[in-house]
Amino acid sequence: MTERDSPRSMMPRLVVLAPQPAHPPFRVVEADGQVVGEATNVKEVVAVALALGLTAEDLDDPDKVLWVGGDQYSWTPR
């Protein structure tokens, strides 16, 4: 299998997992395949994106950011 065929090479640099039930609800954030923390709002995700060299506009680009369990406006568990 070549790197191009590897499923990991196709993953966006930033992955924001589904909202978790807590007070306040949070989402686990992964950068380059590593868990980097929890975010309770989109501003915290933007901070991680900027540290990776992405921009706030990249949050809408599915090739750069994967939102699991809702988009950037979803912060409560389903």
Side-chain angles (χ1 to χ4, degrees):
M1 176 184 320
T2 65
E3 182 179 343
R4 184 176 162 281
D5 296 329
S6 170
R8 199 65 188 156
S9 67
M10 302 302 283
M11 290 296 293
R13 293 201 60 205
L14 192 62
V15 177
V16 184
L17 299 176
Q20 299 299 307
H23 297 286
F26 67 91
R27 298 177 80 157
V28 173
V29 180
E30 297 179 355
D32 294 328
Q34 301 292 319
V35 173
V36 295
E38 299 172 354
T40 58
N41 59 57
V42 72
K43 290 180 185 179
E44 294 173 354
V45 177
V46 169
V48 175
L50 293 174
L52 290 174
L54 301 174
T55 66
E57 290 79 23
D58 289 331
L59 297 181
D60 293 324
D61 185 343
D63 291 330
K64 295 179 182 177
V65 180
L66 173 62
W67 294 90
V68 179
D71 61 14
Q72 62 188 339
Y73 305 106
S74 303
W75 289 91
T76 54
R78 294 181 184 197

